[in-house]
């Protein structure tokens, strides 16, 4: 089988470098890169993207749209790691486990939008529960998440690892205008009919995410309890290599959630915590924002698309 030619546009950024590392040593593909002098040359980039089999865009939103628009070769497939196309109807959402047919859609697609890091956890938790009618689509939801500072890109990494690192805060909450760009993505792909409140934060660690969503039993359909929520998630992700749902015993044994526990993997760990007497539940997701939240997901989607070409 001929090697697939893969072009990573933006290969010097955090996600691009991680993708390079994950693809290192593979003999089923060949990586196309541009020299530093050609990375900002629109003609060189357009030539590269139109000559590859699959392009992975690791760019800010504006340049990602420009790169996608420059494609004139109908044989080229694209995985966009930016947020530019995550709610676009012509792009397939690149979360293979989201529903039964999603992996097949990704494999056949020419345009795939990689999920955002925070939405990966939120959609993984909410979509099965909304589909099953256990969480109403109009349920008032508040989503809280803390990420390692690498989620802020190169500028944030420099702030925490550069010469002025001592001045970087140990913890910071942002998105206080409640207009974070990930919110429409969560709303759309979790199939919510009402916009959730989404409040992100960074900690003074490089990578990893803990995302939580609180639920009140009084706002859910009658009879919904922790076991039903947990069983719904476990059923949706049964057999998944990347997504695992903690069972009741594992959840009861958890005393804390470590955002760094899945670093270096493509794993997504979900749990349902319950205080049945108080009628309160907490959904949690733990994963690597540079793994399943970015480069790991891109490589997972790439493998699906390569398999379809074989």
């Amino acid at each position: 089988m001929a090697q697939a030619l893969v072009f990573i546009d933006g290969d010097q950024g955090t996600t691009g470098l991680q993708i390079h590392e994950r693809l290192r040593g593979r003999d089923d593909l060949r990586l196309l890169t541009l020299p530093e002098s050609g990375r900002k040359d629109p003609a060189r980039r357009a030539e590269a993207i139109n000559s590859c089999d699959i392009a992975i865009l690791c760019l800010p939103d504006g340049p990602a749209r420009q790169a996608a628009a420059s494609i004139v070769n109908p044989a080229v497939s694209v995985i966009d790691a930016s947020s530019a196309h995550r709610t676009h109807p012509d792009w397939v959402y690149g979360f293979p486990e989201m529903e039964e047919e999603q992996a097949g859609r990704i494999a056949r697609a020419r345009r795939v939008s990689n999920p955002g890091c925070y939405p990966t956890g939120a959609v993984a938790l909410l979509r099965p529960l909304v589909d099953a009618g256990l969480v109403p689509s109009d349920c008032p939801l508040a989503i809280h998440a803390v990420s390692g500072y690498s989620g802020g890109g190169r500028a944030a990494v420099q702030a925490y690892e550069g010469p002025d690192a001592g001045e970087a805060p140990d913890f910071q909450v942002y998105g206080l205008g409640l207009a974070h760009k990930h919110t429409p993505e969560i709303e759309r792909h979790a199939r919510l009919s009402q916009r959730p409140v989404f409040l992100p934060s960074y900690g003074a660690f490089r990578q990893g995410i803990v995302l939580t969503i609180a639920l009140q039993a009084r706002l859910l359909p009658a009879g919904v309890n922790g076991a039903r929520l947990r069983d719904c998630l476990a059923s949706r992700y049964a057999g998944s290599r990347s997504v695992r749902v903690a069972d009741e015993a594992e959840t009861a044994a958890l005393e804390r959630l470590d955002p760094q526990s899945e670093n270096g993997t493509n794993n997504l760990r979900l749990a349902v915590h319950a205080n049945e007497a108080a009628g309160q539940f907490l959904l949690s997701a733990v994963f690597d924002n540079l793994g399943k939240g970015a480069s790991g997901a891109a490589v997972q989607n790439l493998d699906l698309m390569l398999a379809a070409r074989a």
Side-chain angles (χ1 to χ4, degrees), residues 86 175 184 235 268:
R86 290 177 185 157
S235 176
L268 175 59

Side-chain angles (χ1 to χ4, degrees), residues 63-75:
R65 293 188 183 94
Q66 294 169 5
S70 74
I71 299 173
V72 294
N73 181 352

Side-chain angles (χ1 to χ4, degrees), residues 134-205:
L134 300 182
V135 172
S137 64
D138 62 352
C139 187
L141 297 172
I143 303 167
H144 299 266
V146 57
S147 170
Y149 56 76
S150 60
R154 297 175 71 176
V157 171
Q158 178 65 18
Y160 280 89
E161 298 181 1
D164 298 322
E167 299 177 10
D170 291 336
F171 183 81
Q172 55 184 311
V173 177
Y174 65 105
L176 300 180
L178 304 181
H180 193 280
K181 67 179 182 178
H182 285 337
T183 307
E185 179 184 349
I186 295 170
E187 182 179 355
R188 177 182 177 88
H189 296 293
R191 286 184 171 166
L192 302 176
S193 61
Q194 297 294 324
R195 180 184 179 94
V197 173
F198 172 57
L199 195 62
S201 56
Y202 290 142
F205 54 94

